[in-house]
């Protein structure tokens, strides 16, 4: 019988300590968050008439975005309200300085280490339902081809009317009962998704592991299904980020999220893998379109998606304050366009500053000096904090995998082979129940389903190793 871990069995706090993460913001920063008020209240329009809704994972309280979308002839009108964090954080004060040190919220299975103190990120700054909140409101019109035709952004007071989650939105879409504020979201999302694939965007369908705690306190390793509603909602954020990025690139001022185009040799390697797995890839079809057309149930798909991660290497931030040197990467290869982070300022530092640039550009005003001064420092801050967040995510999963499987050494599982043995590196496999990635001894063929035996699960390393069963 499978042993389930109790809450006390996994100490994620040790990982936080190892990474130097703490929720202690210091007295001055904590006081500023506790007493935060809208310092820009006089510059807002009242848009509490707009019936916005939020769509987030269940239980989320740091709500950055709220959406309202309607059909407009053959196109759409999108309103996207983003928490106005800059209005609540005095520039260059104790709280601002502390958030610049942190860079972003770091997530763990048992909670998070927030970018901002919780009185701000989970209360006064959060777009909670039935509360009037300061926001930056984007209004974007989209034509029948999915292309933006007009963009406006300004400060507003908004009021969310409902807090929804992805599963609820998907269920309501399937049963024809979507909230009126997002009745047009599926059509918009599908249109924008088709457009992104036609541009050459690359989206990977790899399983997303999560360590979740059940109501009774037990821990489980699961793959959370990605619904079409997740994709529809992400298309709103992507559209906004692309509009913001284009505004800043044209002005040569701001902060872009960048990613080099996939290297031809990496595309060739992926094509070779497809050929080896007998998966047809027609000439002239982009890597993104090829991946989007794969059968999600085929074991070869998981292997090819894993191989395709090499196409998305080199993500970075680009600060611009005038001239851009030749050969500088300004686009985002995964999105196949120009892109900026502007939709999650409660959880990511870059968004607050990029949003301020967009507001200034849209109004024809000067970019605030505190923003211009900070821009060149932000890429390093975001690189560092992203590294920490990645380590935290991997360390939490590694620990949970090893502990969950520590009592099951010797058992057999059905696994999908993501990579065969490569030099001194073990083959890599994925088992779905529980959801675990691990090294595998032997030389199993890539893109196949095989039986493996768990030969090592050491919580102290932590490590998990399987062996292919002949």
């Amino acid at each position: 019988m499978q042993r389930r871990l109790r809450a006390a069995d996994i100490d994620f706090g040790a990982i936080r300590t190892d990474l130097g993460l703490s929720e202690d913001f210091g007295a001055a920063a904590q006081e500023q968050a506790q007493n935060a008020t809208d310092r820009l209240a006089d510059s807002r329009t009242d848009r509490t008439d707009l019936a916005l809704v939020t769509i987030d994972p269940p239980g989320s309280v740091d709500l950055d975005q709220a959406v309202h979308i309607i059909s407009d002839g053959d196109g759409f009108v999108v309103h996207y309200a983003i928490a106005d964090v800059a209005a609540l954080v005095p520039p260059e004060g104790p709280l601002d300085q502390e958030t610049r040190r942190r860079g972003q919220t770091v997530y763990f299975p048992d909670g998070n280490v927030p970018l901002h103190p919780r009185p701000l990120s989970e209360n006064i700054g959060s777009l909670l339902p039935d509360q009037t909140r300061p926001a930056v409101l984007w209004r974007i019109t989209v034509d029948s081809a999915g292309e933006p035709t007009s963009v406006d952004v300004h400060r507003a007071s908004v009021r969310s009317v409902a807090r929804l989650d992805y599963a609820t939105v998907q269920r309501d879409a399937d049963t024809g009962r979507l909230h009126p504020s997002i009745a047009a979201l599926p059509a918009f999302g599908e249109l924008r998704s088709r457009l992104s694939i036609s541009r050459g965007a690359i989206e990977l369908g790899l399983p997303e592991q999560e360590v979740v705690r059940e109501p009774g306190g037990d821990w489980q390793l699961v793959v959370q299904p990605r619904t079409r509603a997740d994709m529809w909602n992400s298309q709103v954020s992507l559209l906004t980020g692309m509009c913001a990025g284009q505004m800043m690139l044209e002005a040569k001022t701001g902060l872009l999220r960048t990613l080099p185009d996939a290297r031809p040799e990496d595309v060739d390697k992926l094509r070779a893998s497809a050929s080896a797995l007998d998966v047809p890839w027609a000439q002239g079809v982009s890597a993104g379109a090829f991946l989007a057309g794969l059968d999600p149930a085929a074991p070869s798909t998981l292997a090819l998606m894993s191989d395709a991660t090499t196409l998305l290497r080199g993500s970075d931030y680009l600060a611009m304050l005038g001239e851009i040197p030749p050969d500088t990467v300004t686009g985002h290869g995964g999105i196949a366009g120009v892109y900026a982070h502007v939709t999650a300022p409660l959880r990511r530092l870059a968004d607050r500053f990029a949003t301020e640039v967009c507001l200034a550009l849209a109004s024809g005003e000067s970019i605030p000096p505190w923003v211009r001064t900070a821009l060149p420092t932000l890429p390093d801050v975001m690189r560092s904090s992203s590294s920490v967040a990645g380590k935290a995510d991997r360390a939490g999963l590694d620990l949970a995998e090893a502990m969950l499987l520590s009592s099951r050494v010797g058992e057999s599982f059905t696994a999908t082979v993501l990579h065969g043995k490569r030099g001194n590196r073990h083959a890599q496999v994925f088992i779905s129940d529980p959801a675990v990635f691990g090294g595998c001894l032997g030389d199993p063929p890539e893109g196949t389903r095989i039986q493996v035996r768990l030969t090592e699960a050491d919580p102290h390393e932590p490590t998990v190793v399987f062996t292919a069963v002949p």
Side-chain angles (χ1 to χ4, degrees):
M1 179 177 177
Q2 179 178 341
R3 170 181 174 266
R4 292 188 175 183
L5 296 172
R6 301 295 301 178
D9 289 329
I10 307 181
D11 181 14
F12 296 107
I15 300 174
R16 287 188 282 272
T17 299
D18 289 345
L19 293 174
L21 297 171
S22 169
E23 199 166 328
D24 182 6
F25 285 82
Q30 187 72 36
E31 183 180 2
Q32 281 194 327
Q34 192 76 43
N35 299 317
T37 57
D38 181 6
R39 64 186 184 86
L40 302 172
D42 293 341
S43 63
R44 298 190 187 284
T45 59
D46 185 347
R47 290 310 315 270
T48 53
D49 61 303
L50 198 60
L52 296 155
V53 301
T54 59
I55 308 174
D56 289 275
S60 296
V61 287
D62 51 346
L63 309 182
D64 291 285
Q65 316 109 4
V67 63
H68 179 275
I69 181 169
I70 59 172
S71 298
D72 182 33
D74 293 332
F76 303 90
V77 177
V78 178
H79 282 94
Y80 207 35
I82 308 300
D84 192 354
V85 178
L88 303 173
V89 178
E92 300 177 339
L95 179 55
D96 184 16
Q97 295 300 324
E98 180 63 18
T99 59
R100 296 191 201 194
R101 185 182 70 82
R102 292 170 179 259
Q104 61 188 285
T105 297
V106 180
Y107 292 90
F108 293 88
D110 60 348
N112 63 49
V113 180
L115 173 61
H116 301 89
R118 298 187 193 278
L120 189 152
S121 62
E122 298 181 358
N123 190 359
I124 188 61
S126 178
L127 303 183
L128 297 167
D130 303 320
Q131 303 293 322
T132 299
R133 291 289 188 252
V136 174
L137 184 63
W138 292 82
R139 183 185 186 276
I140 305 171
T141 59
V142 175
D143 64 18
S144 59
E147 297 284 5
T149 55
S150 69
V151 180
D152 175 68
V153 57
H154 62 276
R155 286 194 152 91
S157 297
V158 302
R159 191 176 181 88
S160 168
V161 299
R163 175 165 51 186
L164 309 176
D165 60 65
Y166 300 113
T168 299
V169 170
Q170 186 66 60
R171 183 194 65 216
D172 290 348
D174 292 342
T175 56
R177 297 183 300 177
L178 272 174
H179 192 286
S181 295
I182 52 170
L185 181 62
F188 165 85
E190 296 295 340
L191 176 64
R192 287 290 300 178
S193 178
R194 291 193 297 271
L195 179 62
S196 70
I197 295 301
S198 71
R199 285 197 315 268
I202 298 171
E203 183 172 346
L204 302 184
L206 284 169
E208 293 191 12
Q209 286 175 285
E210 287 192 24
V211 186
V212 298
R213 183 157 42 193
E214 296 180 328
D218 296 329
W219 291 100
Q220 286 261 54
L221 274 163
V222 301
V223 171
Q224 296 288 13
R226 180 171 166 81
T227 67
R228 297 301 291 173
D230 292 67
M231 183 276 288
W232 302 332
N233 193 54
S234 71
Q235 290 297 332
V236 181
S237 182
L238 286 170
L239 170 66
T240 307
M242 293 182 74
C243 290
Q246 192 61 46
M247 289 173 64
M248 290 187 284
L249 181 61
E250 290 175 1
K252 297 182 180 179
T253 304
L255 186 68
L256 301 181
R257 184 63 164 150
T258 63
L259 181 76
D261 290 337
R263 299 185 307 171
E265 55 265 38
D266 289 330
V267 176
D268 289 343
K269 288 178 182 177
L270 181 63
R271 190 178 286 276
S273 294
S275 177
L277 293 169
D278 293 323
V279 178
W281 183 345
Q283 289 297 322
V285 174
S286 70
F290 166 71
L291 293 168
L294 294 176
D295 177 3
S300 58
T301 296
L302 195 55
L304 287 168
M305 291 289 182
S306 181
D307 285 343
T309 57
T310 60
L311 307 181
L312 300 176
R313 289 177 177 171
S315 61
D316 205 352
Y317 286 87
L318 173 66
M320 303 176 294
L321 281 173
E323 292 302 313
I324 302 172
D327 300 322
T328 300
V329 174
T330 58
H332 192 292
I335 293 170
V338 181
Y339 180 64
H341 278 156
V342 292
T343 62
L346 289 172
R347 294 170 279 177
R348 196 169 48 212
L349 180 70
D351 302 49
R352 181 183 359 143
F353 292 86
T355 295
E356 290 305 299
V357 175
C358 291
L359 285 165
L361 294 175
S363 65
E365 298 178 356
S366 298
I367 295 168
W370 63 271
V371 175
R372 293 187 67 89
T373 301
L375 283 175
T377 71
L378 295 176
D380 281 345
V381 173
M382 297 310 301
R383 290 184 202 112
S384 176
S385 63
S386 294
S387 175
V388 170
K391 290 176 182 177
D393 184 57
R394 190 62 255 170
L397 286 168
D398 286 347
L399 179 60
E401 286 177 343
M403 290 201 70
L404 181 61
L405 291 173
S406 60
S407 63
R408 303 183 67 181
V409 172
E411 290 188 30
S412 294
F413 301 85
T414 300
T416 299
V417 184
L418 304 179
H419 299 298
K421 183 178 179 182
R422 296 178 178 178
N424 294 326
R425 295 179 59 190
H426 296 321
Q428 292 291 309
V429 298
F430 172 71
I431 63 173
S432 59
D433 186 19
V436 171
F437 290 90
C440 181
L441 302 177
D443 193 11
E446 183 173 305
T448 59
R449 287 200 177 98
I450 63 170
Q451 290 298 114
V452 297
R453 182 175 295 109
L454 178 63
T455 52
E456 183 179 354
D458 183 356
H460 300 290
E461 290 297 329
T463 186
V464 170
V465 179
F466 299 93
T467 298
V469 177

